[in-house]
Amino acid sequence: MSDDDFNMSMRKFLKQVGVTSQQAIEEAVRGAEGAGPFEAKVVLSIPELGLEHVVTGTIKGQG
């Protein structure tokens, strides 16, 4: 696989992660009783590479 193919496939994957994650968060917030803030955690794993990457953060609530 060329560097260009690798970069394009990675960008496509990350775009899909971002878009689908935002949609899931927005839907969950609409159904939430609390106004936030909400502690968030994302775990990215690629078992074949022995990779487990954790990202945490806070998402402000609506209001």
Side-chain angles (χ1 to χ4, degrees), residues 3-32:
D3 285 347
D4 286 343
D5 290 341
F6 170 72
N7 286 330
M8 289 300 293
S9 68
M10 187 168 39
R11 286 173 185 243
K12 182 178 179 181
F13 172 74
L14 292 172
K15 182 177 180 180
Q16 181 181 6
V17 168
V19 169
T20 58
S21 297
Q22 181 175 351
Q23 291 169 342
I25 292 167
E26 288 173 348
E27 183 177 328
V29 168
R30 280 194 294 271

PDB file of all heavy atoms in Angstrom, residues 3-32:
ATOM      1  N   ASP A   3       1.880   5.288   0.479  1.00  0.00           N
ATOM      2  CA  ASP A   3       1.616   6.268   1.541  1.00  0.00           C
ATOM      3  C   ASP A   3       0.315   7.015   1.285  1.00  0.00           C
ATOM      4  O   ASP A   3      -0.439   7.286   2.223  1.00  0.00           O
ATOM      5  CB  ASP A   3       2.768   7.264   1.653  1.00  0.00           C
ATOM      6  CG  ASP A   3       3.995   6.667   2.333  1.00  0.00           C
ATOM      7  OD1 ASP A   3       3.884   5.585   2.939  1.00  0.00           O
ATOM      8  OD2 ASP A   3       5.059   7.295   2.262  1.00  0.00           O
ATOM      9  N   ASP A   4       0.044   7.350   0.021  1.00  0.00           N
ATOM     10  CA  ASP A   4      -1.193   8.065  -0.308  1.00  0.00           C
ATOM     11  C   ASP A   4      -2.417   7.212  -0.002  1.00  0.00           C
ATOM     12  O   ASP A   4      -3.400   7.706   0.562  1.00  0.00           O
ATOM     13  CB  ASP A   4      -1.211   8.485  -1.782  1.00  0.00           C
ATOM     14  CG  ASP A   4      -0.276   9.648  -2.073  1.00  0.00           C
ATOM     15  OD1 ASP A   4       0.137  10.345  -1.115  1.00  0.00           O
ATOM     16  OD2 ASP A   4       0.039   9.861  -3.258  1.00  0.00           O
ATOM     17  N   ASP A   5      -2.366   5.931  -0.356  1.00  0.00           N
ATOM     18  CA  ASP A   5      -3.489   5.031  -0.076  1.00  0.00           C
ATOM     19  C   ASP A   5      -3.695   4.886   1.429  1.00  0.00           C
ATOM     20  O   ASP A   5      -4.828   4.890   1.915  1.00  0.00           O
ATOM     21  CB  ASP A   5      -3.254   3.656  -0.699  1.00  0.00           C
ATOM     22  CG  ASP A   5      -3.345   3.665  -2.211  1.00  0.00           C
ATOM     23  OD1 ASP A   5      -3.930   4.609  -2.781  1.00  0.00           O
ATOM     24  OD2 ASP A   5      -2.825   2.711  -2.832  1.00  0.00           O
ATOM     25  N   PHE A   6      -2.596   4.746   2.151  1.00  0.00           N
ATOM     26  CA  PHE A   6      -2.673   4.632   3.609  1.00  0.00           C
ATOM     27  C   PHE A   6      -3.303   5.879   4.217  1.00  0.00           C
ATOM     28  O   PHE A   6      -4.233   5.797   5.022  1.00  0.00           O
ATOM     29  CB  PHE A   6      -1.274   4.403   4.195  1.00  0.00           C
ATOM     30  CG  PHE A   6      -1.232   4.522   5.694  1.00  0.00           C
ATOM     31  CD1 PHE A   6      -1.794   3.550   6.499  1.00  0.00           C
ATOM     32  CD2 PHE A   6      -0.627   5.613   6.301  1.00  0.00           C
ATOM     33  CE1 PHE A   6      -1.752   3.659   7.883  1.00  0.00           C
ATOM     34  CE2 PHE A   6      -0.577   5.733   7.677  1.00  0.00           C
ATOM     35  CZ  PHE A   6      -1.144   4.749   8.469  1.00  0.00           C
ATOM     36  N   ASN A   7      -2.805   7.045   3.841  1.00  0.00           N
ATOM     37  CA  ASN A   7      -3.336   8.299   4.381  1.00  0.00           C
ATOM     38  C   ASN A   7      -4.805   8.490   4.039  1.00  0.00           C
ATOM     39  O   ASN A   7      -5.589   8.932   4.887  1.00  0.00           O
ATOM     40  CB  ASN A   7      -2.509   9.483   3.884  1.00  0.00           C
ATOM     41  CG  ASN A   7      -1.170   9.584   4.567  1.00  0.00           C
ATOM     42  OD1 ASN A   7      -1.022   9.196   5.716  1.00  0.00           O
ATOM     43  ND2 ASN A   7      -0.174  10.086   3.857  1.00  0.00           N
ATOM     44  N   MET A   8      -5.190   8.166   2.829  1.00  0.00           N
ATOM     45  CA  MET A   8      -6.596   8.317   2.421  1.00  0.00           C
ATOM     46  C   MET A   8      -7.494   7.361   3.208  1.00  0.00           C
ATOM     47  O   MET A   8      -8.579   7.745   3.645  1.00  0.00           O
ATOM     48  CB  MET A   8      -6.760   8.099   0.921  1.00  0.00           C
ATOM     49  CG  MET A   8      -6.186   9.223   0.075  1.00  0.00           C
ATOM     50  SD  MET A   8      -6.956  10.832   0.395  1.00  0.00           S
ATOM     51  CE  MET A   8      -8.593  10.533  -0.230  1.00  0.00           C
ATOM     52  N   SER A   9      -7.065   6.118   3.391  1.00  0.00           N
ATOM     53  CA  SER A   9      -7.893   5.164   4.125  1.00  0.00           C
ATOM     54  C   SER A   9      -8.006   5.561   5.591  1.00  0.00           C
ATOM     55  O   SER A   9      -9.069   5.421   6.204  1.00  0.00           O
ATOM     56  CB  SER A   9      -7.355   3.735   3.990  1.00  0.00           C
ATOM     57  OG  SER A   9      -6.112   3.579   4.645  1.00  0.00           O
ATOM     58  N   MET A  10      -6.912   6.083   6.171  1.00  0.00           N
ATOM     59  CA  MET A  10      -6.957   6.527   7.553  1.00  0.00           C
ATOM     60  C   MET A  10      -7.869   7.741   7.700  1.00  0.00           C
ATOM     61  O   MET A  10      -8.683   7.819   8.626  1.00  0.00           O
ATOM     62  CB  MET A  10      -5.550   6.857   8.062  1.00  0.00           C
ATOM     63  CG  MET A  10      -5.527   7.168   9.536  1.00  0.00           C
ATOM     64  SD  MET A  10      -3.899   7.253  10.318  1.00  0.00           S
ATOM     65  CE  MET A  10      -2.896   8.049   9.106  1.00  0.00           C
ATOM     66  N   ARG A  11      -7.766   8.689   6.798  1.00  0.00           N
ATOM     67  CA  ARG A  11      -8.632   9.880   6.863  1.00  0.00           C
ATOM     68  C   ARG A  11     -10.097   9.506   6.700  1.00  0.00           C
ATOM     69  O   ARG A  11     -10.972  10.054   7.377  1.00  0.00           O
ATOM     70  CB  ARG A  11      -8.229  10.890   5.797  1.00  0.00           C
ATOM     71  CG  ARG A  11      -6.945  11.609   6.119  1.00  0.00           C
ATOM     72  CD  ARG A  11      -6.515  12.478   4.946  1.00  0.00           C
ATOM     73  NE  ARG A  11      -5.234  13.082   5.209  1.00  0.00           N
ATOM     74  CZ  ARG A  11      -5.040  14.385   5.312  1.00  0.00           C
ATOM     75  NH1 ARG A  11      -6.049  15.218   5.160  1.00  0.00           N
ATOM     76  NH2 ARG A  11      -3.852  14.855   5.553  1.00  0.00           N
ATOM     77  N   LYS A  12     -10.385   8.568   5.801  1.00  0.00           N
ATOM     78  CA  LYS A  12     -11.761   8.118   5.598  1.00  0.00           C
ATOM     79  C   LYS A  12     -12.300   7.477   6.876  1.00  0.00           C
ATOM     80  O   LYS A  12     -13.427   7.753   7.294  1.00  0.00           O
ATOM     81  CB  LYS A  12     -11.820   7.126   4.434  1.00  0.00           C
ATOM     82  CG  LYS A  12     -13.203   6.648   4.123  1.00  0.00           C
ATOM     83  CD  LYS A  12     -13.204   5.707   2.925  1.00  0.00           C
ATOM     84  CE  LYS A  12     -14.600   5.204   2.635  1.00  0.00           C
ATOM     85  NZ  LYS A  12     -14.629   4.286   1.503  1.00  0.00           N
ATOM     86  N   PHE A  13     -11.487   6.632   7.512  1.00  0.00           N
ATOM     87  CA  PHE A  13     -11.900   5.999   8.764  1.00  0.00           C
ATOM     88  C   PHE A  13     -12.147   7.039   9.852  1.00  0.00           C
ATOM     89  O   PHE A  13     -13.169   7.009  10.536  1.00  0.00           O
ATOM     90  CB  PHE A  13     -10.833   4.999   9.229  1.00  0.00           C
ATOM     91  CG  PHE A  13     -11.099   4.449  10.601  1.00  0.00           C
ATOM     92  CD1 PHE A  13     -12.091   3.509  10.806  1.00  0.00           C
ATOM     93  CD2 PHE A  13     -10.369   4.888  11.695  1.00  0.00           C
ATOM     94  CE1 PHE A  13     -12.349   3.021  12.075  1.00  0.00           C
ATOM     95  CE2 PHE A  13     -10.604   4.402  12.962  1.00  0.00           C
ATOM     96  CZ  PHE A  13     -11.605   3.459  13.159  1.00  0.00           C
ATOM     97  N   LEU A  14     -11.217   7.972  10.023  1.00  0.00           N
ATOM     98  CA  LEU A  14     -11.361   8.984  11.073  1.00  0.00           C
ATOM     99  C   LEU A  14     -12.551   9.904  10.822  1.00  0.00           C
ATOM    100  O   LEU A  14     -13.232  10.326  11.761  1.00  0.00           O
ATOM    101  CB  LEU A  14     -10.072   9.795  11.211  1.00  0.00           C
ATOM    102  CG  LEU A  14      -8.884   9.006  11.769  1.00  0.00           C
ATOM    103  CD1 LEU A  14      -7.616   9.836  11.686  1.00  0.00           C
ATOM    104  CD2 LEU A  14      -9.153   8.532  13.183  1.00  0.00           C
ATOM    105  N   LYS A  15     -12.834  10.201   9.555  1.00  0.00           N
ATOM    106  CA  LYS A  15     -14.016  11.010   9.233  1.00  0.00           C
ATOM    107  C   LYS A  15     -15.280  10.252   9.624  1.00  0.00           C
ATOM    108  O   LYS A  15     -16.203  10.827  10.213  1.00  0.00           O
ATOM    109  CB  LYS A  15     -14.035  11.356   7.746  1.00  0.00           C
ATOM    110  CG  LYS A  15     -15.199  12.230   7.355  1.00  0.00           C
ATOM    111  CD  LYS A  15     -15.141  12.624   5.892  1.00  0.00           C
ATOM    112  CE  LYS A  15     -16.321  13.501   5.527  1.00  0.00           C
ATOM    113  NZ  LYS A  15     -16.279  13.901   4.118  1.00  0.00           N
ATOM    114  N   GLN A  16     -15.324   8.959   9.312  1.00  0.00           N
ATOM    115  CA  GLN A  16     -16.484   8.144   9.676  1.00  0.00           C
ATOM    116  C   GLN A  16     -16.645   8.094  11.191  1.00  0.00           C
ATOM    117  O   GLN A  16     -17.754   8.220  11.713  1.00  0.00           O
ATOM    118  CB  GLN A  16     -16.329   6.735   9.120  1.00  0.00           C
ATOM    119  CG  GLN A  16     -17.498   5.829   9.431  1.00  0.00           C
ATOM    120  CD  GLN A  16     -17.295   4.425   8.886  1.00  0.00           C
ATOM    121  OE1 GLN A  16     -16.238   4.077   8.372  1.00  0.00           O
ATOM    122  NE2 GLN A  16     -18.325   3.618   8.995  1.00  0.00           N
ATOM    123  N   VAL A  17     -15.548   7.939  11.913  1.00  0.00           N
ATOM    124  CA  VAL A  17     -15.591   7.929  13.382  1.00  0.00           C
ATOM    125  C   VAL A  17     -16.146   9.250  13.896  1.00  0.00           C
ATOM    126  O   VAL A  17     -17.031   9.271  14.758  1.00  0.00           O
ATOM    127  CB  VAL A  17     -14.189   7.660  13.974  1.00  0.00           C
ATOM    128  CG1 VAL A  17     -14.173   7.930  15.480  1.00  0.00           C
ATOM    129  CG2 VAL A  17     -13.745   6.246  13.686  1.00  0.00           C
ATOM    130  N   GLY A  18     -15.641  10.363  13.371  1.00  0.00           N
ATOM    131  CA  GLY A  18     -16.080  11.675  13.834  1.00  0.00           C
ATOM    132  C   GLY A  18     -17.546  11.939  13.573  1.00  0.00           C
ATOM    133  O   GLY A  18     -18.280  12.371  14.465  1.00  0.00           O
ATOM    134  N   VAL A  19     -17.986  11.651  12.360  1.00  0.00           N
ATOM    135  CA  VAL A  19     -19.377  11.926  11.982  1.00  0.00           C
ATOM    136  C   VAL A  19     -20.332  11.037  12.764  1.00  0.00           C
ATOM    137  O   VAL A  19     -21.316  11.518  13.339  1.00  0.00           O
ATOM    138  CB  VAL A  19     -19.576  11.753  10.456  1.00  0.00           C
ATOM    139  CG1 VAL A  19     -21.040  11.769  10.088  1.00  0.00           C
ATOM    140  CG2 VAL A  19     -18.823  12.833   9.698  1.00  0.00           C
ATOM    141  N   THR A  20     -20.064   9.737  12.809  1.00  0.00           N
ATOM    142  CA  THR A  20     -20.990   8.836  13.501  1.00  0.00           C
ATOM    143  C   THR A  20     -20.969   9.062  15.006  1.00  0.00           C
ATOM    144  O   THR A  20     -22.005   8.950  15.663  1.00  0.00           O
ATOM    145  CB  THR A  20     -20.685   7.361  13.175  1.00  0.00           C
ATOM    146  OG1 THR A  20     -19.345   7.051  13.551  1.00  0.00           O
ATOM    147  CG2 THR A  20     -20.889   7.074  11.693  1.00  0.00           C
ATOM    148  N   SER A  21     -19.808   9.425  15.554  1.00  0.00           N
ATOM    149  CA  SER A  21     -19.732   9.707  16.988  1.00  0.00           C
ATOM    150  C   SER A  21     -20.521  10.959  17.346  1.00  0.00           C
ATOM    151  O   SER A  21     -21.235  10.992  18.348  1.00  0.00           O
ATOM    152  CB  SER A  21     -18.274   9.868  17.428  1.00  0.00           C
ATOM    153  OG  SER A  21     -17.573   8.672  17.236  1.00  0.00           O
ATOM    154  N   GLN A  22     -20.403  11.997  16.527  1.00  0.00           N
ATOM    155  CA  GLN A  22     -21.155  13.220  16.785  1.00  0.00           C
ATOM    156  C   GLN A  22     -22.651  12.949  16.739  1.00  0.00           C
ATOM    157  O   GLN A  22     -23.401  13.421  17.593  1.00  0.00           O
ATOM    158  CB  GLN A  22     -20.792  14.306  15.772  1.00  0.00           C
ATOM    159  CG  GLN A  22     -21.536  15.608  16.036  1.00  0.00           C
ATOM    160  CD  GLN A  22     -21.104  16.738  15.118  1.00  0.00           C
ATOM    161  OE1 GLN A  22     -20.128  16.624  14.384  1.00  0.00           O
ATOM    162  NE2 GLN A  22     -21.832  17.825  15.168  1.00  0.00           N
ATOM    163  N   GLN A  23     -23.093  12.174  15.768  1.00  0.00           N
ATOM    164  CA  GLN A  23     -24.515  11.841  15.666  1.00  0.00           C
ATOM    165  C   GLN A  23     -24.987  11.078  16.899  1.00  0.00           C
ATOM    166  O   GLN A  23     -26.057  11.367  17.450  1.00  0.00           O
ATOM    167  CB  GLN A  23     -24.781  11.022  14.403  1.00  0.00           C
ATOM    168  CG  GLN A  23     -24.609  11.805  13.130  1.00  0.00           C
ATOM    169  CD  GLN A  23     -24.609  10.931  11.887  1.00  0.00           C
ATOM    170  OE1 GLN A  23     -24.413   9.716  11.950  1.00  0.00           O
ATOM    171  NE2 GLN A  23     -24.809  11.551  10.736  1.00  0.00           N
ATOM    172  N   ALA A  24     -24.189  10.119  17.355  1.00  0.00           N
ATOM    173  CA  ALA A  24     -24.560   9.327  18.532  1.00  0.00           C
ATOM    174  C   ALA A  24     -24.616  10.192  19.783  1.00  0.00           C
ATOM    175  O   ALA A  24     -25.532  10.055  20.605  1.00  0.00           O
ATOM    176  CB  ALA A  24     -23.568   8.176  18.718  1.00  0.00           C
ATOM    177  N   ILE A  25     -23.650  11.093  19.938  1.00  0.00           N
ATOM    178  CA  ILE A  25     -23.633  11.977  21.109  1.00  0.00           C
ATOM    179  C   ILE A  25     -24.835  12.914  21.087  1.00  0.00           C
ATOM    180  O   ILE A  25     -25.510  13.098  22.106  1.00  0.00           O
ATOM    181  CB  ILE A  25     -22.310  12.773  21.169  1.00  0.00           C
ATOM    182  CG1 ILE A  25     -21.145  11.834  21.454  1.00  0.00           C
ATOM    183  CG2 ILE A  25     -22.400  13.880  22.227  1.00  0.00           C
ATOM    184  CD1 ILE A  25     -19.780  12.458  21.228  1.00  0.00           C
ATOM    185  N   GLU A  26     -25.126  13.515  19.946  1.00  0.00           N
ATOM    186  CA  GLU A  26     -26.268  14.431  19.842  1.00  0.00           C
ATOM    187  C   GLU A  26     -27.568  13.718  20.188  1.00  0.00           C
ATOM    188  O   GLU A  26     -28.418  14.261  20.904  1.00  0.00           O
ATOM    189  CB  GLU A  26     -26.338  15.038  18.454  1.00  0.00           C
ATOM    190  CG  GLU A  26     -25.241  16.052  18.190  1.00  0.00           C
ATOM    191  CD  GLU A  26     -25.192  16.532  16.751  1.00  0.00           C
ATOM    192  OE1 GLU A  26     -25.856  15.925  15.872  1.00  0.00           O
ATOM    193  OE2 GLU A  26     -24.480  17.522  16.495  1.00  0.00           O
ATOM    194  N   GLU A  27     -27.730  12.494  19.704  1.00  0.00           N
ATOM    195  CA  GLU A  27     -28.950  11.732  19.994  1.00  0.00           C
ATOM    196  C   GLU A  27     -29.045  11.414  21.488  1.00  0.00           C
ATOM    197  O   GLU A  27     -30.107  11.548  22.091  1.00  0.00           O
ATOM    198  CB  GLU A  27     -28.953  10.435  19.181  1.00  0.00           C
ATOM    199  CG  GLU A  27     -30.218   9.625  19.356  1.00  0.00           C
ATOM    200  CD  GLU A  27     -30.225   8.377  18.487  1.00  0.00           C
ATOM    201  OE1 GLU A  27     -29.655   8.408  17.389  1.00  0.00           O
ATOM    202  OE2 GLU A  27     -30.815   7.377  18.941  1.00  0.00           O
ATOM    203  N   ALA A  28     -27.930  11.031  22.082  1.00  0.00           N
ATOM    204  CA  ALA A  28     -27.930  10.708  23.511  1.00  0.00           C
ATOM    205  C   ALA A  28     -28.222  11.935  24.360  1.00  0.00           C
ATOM    206  O   ALA A  28     -28.957  11.856  25.346  1.00  0.00           O
ATOM    207  CB  ALA A  28     -26.583  10.095  23.901  1.00  0.00           C
ATOM    208  N   VAL A  29     -27.661  13.090  23.986  1.00  0.00           N
ATOM    209  CA  VAL A  29     -27.882  14.318  24.744  1.00  0.00           C
ATOM    210  C   VAL A  29     -29.354  14.729  24.662  1.00  0.00           C
ATOM    211  O   VAL A  29     -29.931  15.170  25.657  1.00  0.00           O
ATOM    212  CB  VAL A  29     -26.953  15.448  24.261  1.00  0.00           C
ATOM    213  CG1 VAL A  29     -27.366  16.801  24.823  1.00  0.00           C
ATOM    214  CG2 VAL A  29     -25.514  15.137  24.638  1.00  0.00           C
ATOM    215  N   ARG A  30     -29.957  14.563  23.499  1.00  0.00           N
ATOM    216  CA  ARG A  30     -31.395  14.896  23.368  1.00  0.00           C
ATOM    217  C   ARG A  30     -32.247  14.062  24.313  1.00  0.00           C
ATOM    218  O   ARG A  30     -33.257  14.525  24.819  1.00  0.00           O
ATOM    219  CB  ARG A  30     -31.861  14.685  21.926  1.00  0.00           C
ATOM    220  CG  ARG A  30     -31.502  15.815  20.993  1.00  0.00           C
ATOM    221  CD  ARG A  30     -32.270  15.717  19.676  1.00  0.00           C
ATOM    222  NE  ARG A  30     -31.893  14.545  18.904  1.00  0.00           N
ATOM    223  CZ  ARG A  30     -30.904  14.488  18.016  1.00  0.00           C
ATOM    224  NH1 ARG A  30     -30.160  15.551  17.801  1.00  0.00           N
ATOM    225  NH2 ARG A  30     -30.644  13.387  17.346  1.00  0.00           N
ATOM    226  N   GLY A  31     -31.842  12.819  24.558  1.00  0.00           N
ATOM    227  CA  GLY A  31     -32.612  11.938  25.428  1.00  0.00           C
ATOM    228  C   GLY A  31     -32.192  11.984  26.882  1.00  0.00           C
ATOM    229  O   GLY A  31     -32.776  11.298  27.713  1.00  0.00           O
ATOM    230  N   ALA A  32     -31.188  12.785  27.206  1.00  0.00           N
ATOM    231  CA  ALA A  32     -30.656  12.832  28.572  1.00  0.00           C
ATOM    232  C   ALA A  32     -31.518  13.715  29.457  1.00  0.00           C
ATOM    233  O   ALA A  32     -32.080  14.712  29.012  1.00  0.00           O
ATOM    234  CB  ALA A  32     -29.223  13.351  28.565  1.00  0.00           C
TER     235      ALA A  32
END
